Amino acid sequence: MAVSGPSTRGPASTVWPALPFMEWRDTLATLHRYTQVVGKVRLALAPMMNHFWQVVLYVTPRGLTTSPIPFERGTFQVDFDFLDHELLVSTHSGERRVLALEPRPVADFYRDVMATLRGLGIDVRINEAPREIPDDVTPFGQDRHHASYDREAVERWHQAMVQADTELKAFRASFTGKCSPVHFFWGGFDLAVTRFSGRRAPPREGADRVTQESYSEEVSSLGFWPGSEQLGGPAFYSYAAPEPAGYSEARVGPEEAYYDSTLKLFLLPYDVVRSADEPGRVLHEFFQSTYEAAANLGRWDRARLERPFLAYPPRQPEPRTEVLPEPLGAH
């Protein structure tokens, strides 16, 4: 099995584009809600999976996808195409509808998506309230104040997501215990992969049903997040739940990584990665050191859960000297 190496070809800045938060803040707020509309359609129709994995989206070379969703007459799929800036709805029978991704209110996007689904015979109702956006709970059908869509900013964010998806998948390869896919959570608008110790976690007092199920087992989770105004920009994150004693004081790398006591997770600023000579190796150091802090302090059975021969970055084979036969007529 081949394991992808770090992304190091060419200048790092051309592979990991600039993502200044304030320049695309309004577009991010609108796009966040667009993905929630589509994600809630999947939530309403897809069969339940452990930890609510049935609700997520997945990164593609062109954007995000729901993957196939069942409905009464078969299956359908919804794709965000961030290169042609379209939303595509396709069914197993070959029907296909296309909506433009452009500056327009969330209310109009919601109306058109639901009308498109009805036109394909897909009967679905969703809760219109945004999730995990505490500063604004305007229902999708009434939201006319989020209406920004900067195509260039969306393309840069998607390029960063493709790179993050590649690196998270490469790091996932060496873990053979229970582990999530690398997937996109439209609630927090973050890309994540989660490793499990194999032990049940204590119940979270007062937590809702989604949180109780999501954290029903001990985890170490890594991800990529576009950040917030308070944070100052995008970042990679890592956390343990439940958090073992001493985790927040653990020494992790690289030196720019730090523990945020408010968010209760380790953070590595995105700009540290994009400016590095070898972004993949910087990320691996962050992923591995924060995972080890969770696993060692939490007394995980690492010998059972890991396969060192799949370690990342992959070990390069030793060079071999090959003796070629002399050409005919040399003597």
Side-chain angles (χ1 to χ4, degrees):
M1 173 182 172
V3 181
S4 301
S7 305
T8 56
R9 294 182 183 178
S13 60
T14 64
V15 178
W16 298 87
L19 288 174
F21 182 84
M22 297 304 292
E23 289 185 12
W24 83 299
R25 175 182 57 179
D26 294 340
T27 291
L28 170 59
T30 302
L31 186 60
H32 193 169
R33 288 159 175 82
Y34 286 2
T35 63
Q36 292 210 357
V37 170
V38 172
K40 287 195 174 198
V41 169
R42 188 175 186 208
L43 169 63
L45 294 175
M48 177 65 187
M49 291 180 67
N50 51 303
H51 313 294
F52 283 89
W53 290 349
Q54 83 279 8
V55 311
V56 299
L57 306 180
Y58 304 95
V59 173
T60 73
R62 302 191 67 88
L64 292 169
T65 184
T66 59
S67 74
I69 303 171
F71 73 111
E72 187 176 351
R73 290 170 23 204
T75 63
F76 72 101
Q77 180 168 302
V78 184
D79 293 282
F80 286 91
D81 185 331
F82 296 132
L83 301 183
D84 287 338
H85 301 280
E86 296 173 336
L87 186 80
L88 297 90
V89 184
S90 52
T91 72
H92 72 285
S93 59
E95 294 178 283
R96 188 171 183 268
R97 302 288 187 273
V98 180
L99 301 175
L101 293 174
E102 58 189 1
R104 60 173 169 165
V106 169
D108 293 354
F109 177 85
Y110 168 74
R111 177 200 64 204
D112 292 347
V113 168
M114 302 309 285
T116 298
L117 294 174
R118 286 194 300 272
L120 291 168
I122 302 167
D123 183 21
V124 59
R125 291 179 176 83
I126 67 171
N127 183 334
E128 294 184 37
R131 258 192 84 82
E132 299 182 47
I133 307 178
D135 60 324
D136 189 337
V137 293
T138 306
F140 300 137
Q142 301 173 29
D143 187 344
R144 308 203 66 81
H145 52 281
H146 292 104
S148 299
Y149 190 87
D150 181 335
R151 292 166 65 109
E152 182 182 350
V154 171
E155 289 171 11
R156 284 190 277 110
W157 168 74
H158 172 247
Q159 183 180 342
M161 286 275 285
V162 168
Q163 292 301 122
D165 182 68
T166 298
E167 300 296 348
L168 287 166
K169 285 175 177 172
F171 181 72
R172 185 186 187 277
S174 64
F175 195 80
T176 58
K178 178 179 173 180
C179 189
S180 77
V182 177
H183 43 206
F184 177 81
F185 284 100
W186 40 264
F189 207 76
D190 60 308
L191 190 66
V193 63
T194 301
R195 294 177 170 186
F196 293 76
S197 74
R199 297 190 299 253
R200 299 288 295 180
R204 294 191 167 205
E205 187 175 349
D208 59 34
R209 185 169 67 96
V210 174
T211 303
Q212 289 285 19
E213 172 60 27
S214 298
Y215 295 106
S216 57
E217 300 176 35
E218 295 178 345
V219 301
S220 170
S221 193
L222 303 161
F224 173 61
W225 179 46
S228 63
E229 187 172 347
Q230 294 75 19
L231 188 63
F236 289 87
Y237 67 79
S238 181
Y239 67 86
E243 187 176 293
Y247 180 74
S248 62
E249 290 82 35
R251 296 186 64 180
V252 304
E255 61 181 13
E256 295 89 349
Y258 65 96
Y259 184 84
D260 187 299
S261 57
T262 300
L263 298 175
K264 293 191 177 301
L265 41 73
F266 284 101
L267 293 170
L268 177 65
Y270 172 79
D271 285 342
V272 171
V273 176
R274 72 177 295 267
S275 62
D277 292 335
E278 294 184 289
R281 294 185 187 277
V282 170
L283 275 176
H284 172 71
E285 181 181 3
F286 178 68
F287 295 163
Q288 184 66 26
S289 63
T290 54
Y291 160 69
E292 287 184 355
N296 292 340
L297 292 169
R299 300 184 183 279
W300 289 26
D301 185 356
R302 294 184 59 190
R304 180 178 64 85
L305 298 171
E306 301 171 28
R307 287 187 181 167
F309 64 84
L310 289 178
Y312 174 84
R315 182 185 302 168
Q316 297 299 318
E318 293 294 328
R320 183 174 61 181
T321 302
E322 186 172 6
V323 179
L324 299 175
E326 292 186 358
L328 293 175
H331 295 292

